[in-house]
């Protein structure tokens, strides 16, 4: 799907999917293990996550490939299986149902460009490789999410765009004491959005970080800065520790109570990040359908 085709698809509000990591943990993933390895040896569980979001009404469903760049996979000794992992990730989501776009998910490398741990050229090449494998597996569009360094994201976007697919970019912002929003690397939406627009992003937005209750002001700011579709993926509240487990406390009813304000701000795509599940997404679907 091209940039123009995707923007037509997202002309009216629609629901994306929710968290993948916490859903895989519920199915037995061991904390600290590479979730992407499950594309090879736990395919039924991976397909089941995607199918659960399809049943909830998601119009965009991600692939289990957030950490599947060659650079990131090297930490788990899986870099030589990069293409296979990404192709399988796209195939499993593609097989999970109908009526949604399969979205190839790509997160940060885990390396710092400004520290010289990886070069911009290496980042661009790694994401070109990952994006090509996702496209080969059946991805309709691509998502670069949870980035905090604009230099890394820009290089990743250049690589992903080599596929010809529409590429969405979302960064993780924190609210500063002065009321502004910045990533941990110091980038504000005012810095980020013009760069991503010039490079050719199909949509922009924000994900992770704070709970959905803290996202309305940020979403309003992003929407005011661009005519591109805006995608928001918030967490189910701020995490708390219960019985040595990280828990996101916000239930589906409270989560969906904040969705109308996001839509009023101009957000076109609403999903969920850490701690959200198919019930949270079903609530989003119901809110969108009632408008």
């Amino acid at each position: 799907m091209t940039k123009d085709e995707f923007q037509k698809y997202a002309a009216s509000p629609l629901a994306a999917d929710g968290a993948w990591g916490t859903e895989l943990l519920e199915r037995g993933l061991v904390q600290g293990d590479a979730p992407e390895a499950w594309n090879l040896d736990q395919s039924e569980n991976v397909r089941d996550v995607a199918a659960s979001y399809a049943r909830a009404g998601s119009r965009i469903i991600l692939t289990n490939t957030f950490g599947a760049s060659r650079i990131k996979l090297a930490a788990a000794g899986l870099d030589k299986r990069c293409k296979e992992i990404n192709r399988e990730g796209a195939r499993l989501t593609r097989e999970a149902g109908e009526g949604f776009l399969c979205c190839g998910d790509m997160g940060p490398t885990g390396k710092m460009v400004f520290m010289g741990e990886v070069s911009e050229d290496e980042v661009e090449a790694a994401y070109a490789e990952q994006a090509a494998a996702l496209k080969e597996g059946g991805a309709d569009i691509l998502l670069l999410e949870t980035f905090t360094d604009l230099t890394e994201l820009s290089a990743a976007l250049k690589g992903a765009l080599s596929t010809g697919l529409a590429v969405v970019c979302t960064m993780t912002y924190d609210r500063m004491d002065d009321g502004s929003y910045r990533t941990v690397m110091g980038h504000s939406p005012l810095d980020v959005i013009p760069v991503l627009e010039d490079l050719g992003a199909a949509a922009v937005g924000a994900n992770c970080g704070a709970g959905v209750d803290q996202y309305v002001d940020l979403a309003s700011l992003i929407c005011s800065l661009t005519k591109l579709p805006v995608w928001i993926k918030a967490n189910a509240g701020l995490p708390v520790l219960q019985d040595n487990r990280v828990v996101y406390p916000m239930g589906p009813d409270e989560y969906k109570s904040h969705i109308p304000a996001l839509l009023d701000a101009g957000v076109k795509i609403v999903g969920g990040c850490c701690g959200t599940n198919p019930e949270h997404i079903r609530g989003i679907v119901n809110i969108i359908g009632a408008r």
Side-chain angles (χ1 to χ4, degrees), residues 122-147:
E122 289 171 324
V123 171
E124 182 175 344
Y127 286 91
E129 176 187 41
Q130 184 181 6
L134 287 165
K135 182 179 181 179
E136 184 178 341
D140 298 299
I141 62 171
L142 302 168
L143 170 66
L144 293 162
E145 65 168 338
T146 326
F147 282 76

Side-chain angles (χ1 to χ4, degrees), residues 93-131:
T93 291
R94 167 65 63 202
E95 291 179 350
E98 297 179 351
F100 60 86
L101 295 183
C102 173
C103 179
D105 190 24
M106 299 181 284
T109 62
K111 303 289 185 180
M112 294 187 179
V113 176
F114 82 97
M115 292 288 290
E117 294 178 343
V118 65
S119 71
E120 291 178 55
D121 287 345
E122 289 171 324
V123 171
E124 182 175 344
Y127 286 91
E129 176 187 41
Q130 184 181 6

Side-chain angles (χ1 to χ4, degrees), residues 17-29 35 38 45-46 48-50 52-53 55 64 245 273-281:
D17 63 0
W20 274 77
T22 45
E23 288 297 286
L24 292 175
L25 288 170
E26 289 290 329
R27 290 163 171 79
L29 176 69
W38 273 35
N45 279 309
V46 174
D48 183 58
V49 174
S52 70
Y53 287 124
R55 291 191 295 270
N64 180 40
R245 293 177 62 244
C273 209
C274 302
T276 59
N277 60 41
E279 288 305 310
H280 291 80
I281 301 307

Side-chain angles (χ1 to χ4, degrees), residues 66-276:
F66 176 81
S69 69
R70 181 176 294 273
I71 297 169
K72 183 72 171 179
L73 287 173
L78 293 169
D79 47 313
K80 292 182 179 179
R81 305 190 74 179
C82 171
K83 293 180 181 179
E84 181 185 7
I85 286 170
N86 283 283
R87 284 195 299 263
E88 285 300 291
R91 181 182 68 82
L92 292 170
T93 291
R94 167 65 63 202
E95 291 179 350
E98 297 179 351
F100 60 86
L101 295 183
C102 173
C103 179
D105 190 24
M106 299 181 284
T109 62
K111 303 289 185 180
M112 294 187 179
V113 176
F114 82 97
M115 292 288 290
E117 294 178 343
V118 65
S119 71
E120 291 178 55
D121 287 345
E122 289 171 324
V123 171
E124 182 175 344
Y127 286 91
E129 176 187 41
Q130 184 181 6
L134 287 165
K135 182 179 181 179
E136 184 178 341
D140 298 299
I141 62 171
L142 302 168
L143 170 66
L144 293 162
E145 65 168 338
T146 326
F147 282 76
T148 58
D149 180 5
L150 182 56
T151 301
E152 182 186 28
L153 178 55
S154 297
L157 177 56
K158 291 175 185 177
L161 286 169
S162 66
T163 62
L165 296 180
V167 184
V168 180
C169 299
T170 67
M171 299 194 84
T172 299
Y173 299 96
D174 296 309
R175 186 179 176 89
M176 302 291 104
D177 290 340
D178 63 2
S180 66
Y181 291 91
R182 295 187 179 276
T183 73
V184 295
M185 297 296 291
H187 305 297
S188 74
L190 288 81
D191 305 322
V192 168
I193 290 174
V195 173
L196 299 180
E197 287 180 335
D198 288 346
L199 288 173
V204 296
N207 77 289
C208 207
V212 67
D213 52 317
Q214 300 181 38
Y215 255 80
V216 175
D217 288 345
L218 173 59
S220 298
L221 172 61
I222 294 173
C223 289
S224 74
L225 294 172
T226 185
K227 293 183 179 180
L228 295 178
V230 172
W231 186 339
I232 295 295
K233 290 180 55 181
N235 293 341
L238 295 175
V240 296
L241 193 63
Q242 293 182 0
D243 300 324
N244 293 318
R245 293 177 62 244
V246 175
V247 175
Y248 291 84
M250 187 179 291
D253 287 342
E254 184 178 356
Y255 194 93
K256 75 177 184 182
S257 71
H258 299 282
I259 303 306
L262 292 177
L263 298 176
D264 289 344
V267 174
K268 293 299 184 184
I269 307 162
V270 186
C273 209
C274 302
T276 59

